[in-house]
Amino acid sequence: MPATVLMGLQWGDEGKGKITDYLARSSDMVVRFGGGDNAGHTLKIGGEYFFNHLLPSGILYRNVKCVIGNGVVVNPDVLRKEILKIMEKGYSAENLCISDKCNIITEYHLALDAMSEKTNSRIGTTKRGIGPAYMDKIGRSGIRFCDIANGTYAEKLAEHLDYVNFILVKYYGGKAVRAQAAAEKLFKQYNALKKYVCRTEYLVNEYARKNKNILFEGAQGAFLDIDFGTYPFVTSSSTYPGGAVTGSGLPPKYITKVTGVVKAYTTRVGEGPFPTELKNADGEALRKKGGEYGTTTGRPRRTGWLDLFSLKYSVMLSGASNIALTKLDILSGFKTIKVATAYKIGRKLLEHFPSDAGMLGFAKPVYEELPGWKEDISGIKVFDDLPSNAKKYVKFIERYLGTPANIISSGAGRYNTIER
Ligand code: GDP
Ligand code: IMO
Ligand code: MG
């Protein structure tokens, strides 16, 4: 049973990092397959926190191979700093392999992202250059590590910069990027990471053939997916299991399981519709208690009740056969807890999750109200030790989604986890 894809089923920040780290102890390989350093995955080991933007969240285990697959767009400076940081903490990155086909995020991608965020069509991006880097990838003008290795990049970069500088200067009124300086920088960046760069598609296939346990660590979430998310308020990559295939080179036949990570309530960062958003004291309480501030940008996350109607859609599209339910501890203390089970526009109940962000903006959630619990459940490791209303909440979710929550997280720490 070689490969499991773990992905967020909401708008990101579901706790994928924590669950990946927890599951990595029984994995042979952890693979990032999409996104870039827009991701911020938090691990808490003992009292120590780790914030992974590009490093796969299995990195703390020496014997777990960690792969940054070809689907990831890499800012080399961010990755190098992240490697140095874990080394300072006494860990090693010797188990890291980066695909030579990763497209590289350069300074001009950051500039383009920042400038487009000043326009009326802003998305509320992380300003990490993700959209522009994927545009270059799909437009076939990106630079990859292998282009630097074989020396073909400088000419290609100079030609593309003619176009980019036109946009930067004439359209946005910004500064041009000098081709030679940009090429020299790329070369230096590549040299700093060269020892980790390899043919990861061969490596993942070798692990699969040998029947080793491979864990794909999704980034972002279902509703940030470029196709099925709340377009255009999405990221620029495929966050679903299909992305794990194209973003790593592992054939789909090896993927035998999909685990969906679901936060016990909902959060979203950036612009875009969010039907169950709470702009009141309950929303503020969730943000405060849940520490809902972006791991990457520090922005306050928007908060709201759990949205089962949207989750039904992401469970269907992901094929998740089980759920890791996180941050249940944050719901302690609410007298009642609401859960959206349907959407209405006017008086009409919707049959499907809307394709159009504008339409979704008009959708009003239909709630069921469940009794809350007072007890602090932080760190509980056994399902039966949960208060009965917390158990009822979990069972309600399982029943609605038809998917067992066989992992429940009761705290940020690695072992604040219930398995059943
Ligand atoms: P990711 O992007 O999906 O990996 O999630 P983030 O790391 O961006 O955000 C999740 C936040 O919740 C982090 O601060 C985690 O340390 C924290 N966290 C994860 N699971 C739990 C949990 O069960 N309870 C609590 N209290 N915090 C959690
Ligand atoms: P993890 O992996 C939450 C959001 C941004 C913005 C939109 C597009 O930590 O769950 P981008 O920079 O990708 O072009 O921004 O996507 N976004 C995330 N939100 N968690 C993330 O990653 C995100 N990565 C991108 O806030 O709305
Ligand atoms: Mg995050």
Side-chain angles (χ1 to χ4, degrees):
M1 290 282 164
T4 297
V5 178
L6 179 132
M7 70 168 283
L9 294 183
Q10 294 156 310
W11 274 279
D13 303 328
E14 296 90 349
K16 299 175 293 295
K18 163 178 169 165
I19 302 296
T20 300
D21 167 74
Y22 178 76
L23 294 177
R25 73 199 196 295
S26 48
S27 306
D28 299 301
M29 175 181 265
V30 175
V31 185
R32 270 284 304 272
F33 58 87
D37 63 309
N38 49 350
H41 295 183
T42 315
L43 278 47
K44 187 178 174 219
I45 317 299
E48 200 165 21
Y49 283 91
F50 298 81
F51 304 102
N52 294 333
H53 300 285
L54 282 162
L55 285 177
S57 297
I59 196 73
L60 303 183
Y61 302 88
R62 246 172 213 278
N63 55 343
V64 175
K65 202 73 166 164
C66 283
V67 171
I68 298 182
N70 54 279
V72 178
V73 285
V74 174
N75 180 326
D77 287 343
V78 172
L79 180 55
R80 194 174 42 82
K81 281 186 197 146
E82 226 173 295
I83 293 171
L84 289 177
K85 212 160 206 171
I86 64 150
M87 283 164 64
E88 274 167 21
K89 291 185 171 176
Y91 292 87
S92 145
E94 289 306 307
N95 50 342
L96 176 69
C97 291
I98 310 166
S99 167
D100 67 345
K101 291 181 189 60
C102 285
N103 272 250
I104 300 174
I105 298 183
T106 68
E107 232 163 280
Y108 77 81
H109 294 117
L110 298 175
L112 288 170
D113 198 356
M115 285 173 177
S116 72
E117 281 295 289
K118 287 186 186 149
T119 67
N120 286 337
S121 47
R122 67 188 294 266
I123 302 295
T125 73
T126 58
K127 297 190 189 158
R128 298 303 177 108
I130 305 298
Y134 277 117
M135 281 164 75
D136 275 358
K137 173 178 176 170
I138 301 302
R140 294 160 293 186
S141 43
I143 304 289
R144 305 167 303 163
F145 288 115
C146 56
D147 302 323
I148 304 176
N150 70 21
T152 58
Y153 70 107
E155 208 177 310
K156 193 175 164 186
L157 179 68
E159 194 181 330
H160 186 50
L161 276 176
D162 280 347
Y163 166 75
V164 170
N165 281 333
F166 182 81
I167 305 287
L168 280 176
V169 177
K170 302 269 191 227
Y171 185 73
Y172 286 122
K175 275 205 286 192
V177 171
R178 284 182 33 243
Q180 195 183 339
E184 281 166 10
K185 184 169 176 188
L186 273 174
F187 190 67
K188 270 196 201 143
Q189 287 175 319
Y190 169 67
N191 275 310
L193 292 174
K194 193 162 78 177
K195 67 180 254 199
Y196 303 108
V197 174
C198 69
R199 296 295 298 272
T200 52
E201 70 274 41
Y202 284 103
L203 193 65
V204 293
N205 275 282
E206 183 194 321
Y207 269 58
R209 267 198 320 271
K210 289 185 178 158
N211 222 24
K212 298 203 180 224
N213 244 317
I214 303 173
L215 179 62
F216 283 95
E217 178 183 9
Q220 291 76 54
F223 292 96
L224 293 171
D225 179 79
I226 185 70
D227 286 285
F228 297 106
T230 52
Y231 192 89
F233 303 102
V234 292
T235 192
S236 301
S237 58
S238 294
T239 61
Y240 277 97
V245 172
T246 55
S248 74
L250 188 75
K253 67 175 180 182
Y254 289 114
I255 295 176
T256 49
K257 185 174 170 188
V258 177
T259 294
V261 187
V262 175
K263 200 182 275 189
Y265 49 97
T266 313
T267 61
R268 166 162 212 174
V269 211
E271 310 292 321
F274 177 1
T276 63
E277 182 169 17
L278 291 167
K279 292 179 174 167
N280 60 13
D282 283 341
E284 193 48 46
L286 286 173
R287 177 160 40 250
K288 228 172 151 188
K289 214 167 157 219
E292 297 297 351
Y293 296 89
T295 309
T296 299
T297 59
R299 290 177 292 178
R301 293 176 183 149
R302 298 157 66 192
T303 50
W305 296 123
L306 188 70
D307 183 348
L308 289 179
F309 187 71
S310 68
L311 280 165
K312 192 105 184 171
Y313 186 58
S314 55
V315 165
M316 174 186 83
L317 291 171
S318 62
S321 60
N322 67 315
I323 275 172
L325 184 69
T326 62
K327 301 192 98 162
L328 190 63
D329 53 305
I330 302 304
L331 291 180
S332 291
F334 283 94
K335 203 163 174 206
T336 56
I337 301 169
K338 287 186 182 173
V339 179
T341 52
Y343 286 174
K344 256 185 179 173
I345 293 184
R347 286 162 60 185
K348 194 170 175 280
L349 281 171
L350 299 194
E351 196 181 335
H352 295 134
F353 187 82
S355 293
D356 176 65
M359 182 79 93
L360 182 60
F362 290 117
K364 296 274 173 272
V366 178
Y367 286 116
E368 293 220 18
E369 203 157 336
L370 304 176
W373 60 91
K374 282 202 192 101
E375 298 87 337
D376 179 8
I377 60 167
S378 311
I380 284 186
K381 294 185 177 66
V382 178
F383 186 70
D384 281 334
D385 291 349
L386 290 173
S388 75
N389 284 348
K391 284 193 264 190
K392 280 186 194 152
Y393 186 70
V394 174
K395 287 180 180 160
F396 186 89
I397 295 168
E398 293 181 320
R399 214 173 315 119
Y400 184 98
L401 296 177
T403 313
N406 68 325
I407 299 174
I408 297 167
S409 177
S410 59
R414 183 182 279 171
Y415 296 110
N416 299 150
T417 309
I418 298 166
E419 266 197 274
R420 52 202 273 262

